[in-house]
Amino acid sequence: MSSLLVTGGAGFIGCNFVRHALDHTDHTVTVLDALTYAGSLENLQNLPDPARHNFVQGDIADRALLDQLFAQHAFDTVVHFAAETHVDRS
């Protein structure tokens, strides 16, 4: 069974990917999301097969957290949706 890390999985696009992955695969899915203005735990309500889903609130720039998550879950796939659309200084 594959283990997925989905960054930004509480956002609109990410949560739909998570729902699709849980609906159509046997993968376990861990969502890492900072829950800024773009993400919401409400987007992860009523997921199919919630036993295969894990949520972690955190920042993708937190190296120690990522090291811990990779050691704990041995992800073989990372799907990256973490992004902000309203970046004033970009």
Side-chain angles (χ1 to χ4, degrees):
M1 181 180 332
S2 293
S3 180
L4 306 179
L5 172 64
V6 180
T7 65
F12 176 75
I13 297 171
C15 74
N16 283 291
F17 175 83
V18 169
R19 191 169 304 282
H20 181 82
L22 291 172
D23 237 355
H24 298 285
T25 72
D26 64 349
H27 305 329
T28 60
V29 179
T30 298
V31 169
L32 174 63
D33 200 295
L35 295 179
T36 62
Y37 69 89
S40 172
L41 286 177
E42 290 179 14
N43 291 333
L44 299 172
Q45 296 292 322
N46 302 316
L47 291 173
D49 201 355
R52 291 187 293 121
H53 172 257
N54 180 43
F55 174 79
V56 177
Q57 184 172 354
D59 192 318
I60 61 170
D62 184 342
R63 178 63 186 257
L65 175 60
L66 286 173
D67 287 345
Q68 175 190 357
L69 289 173
F70 271 85
Q72 182 179 2
H73 297 283
F75 302 116
D76 53 33
T77 304
V78 176
V79 184
H80 180 63
F81 292 109
E84 295 196 7
T85 59
H86 298 88
V87 181
D88 294 337
R89 298 179 192 198
S90 61

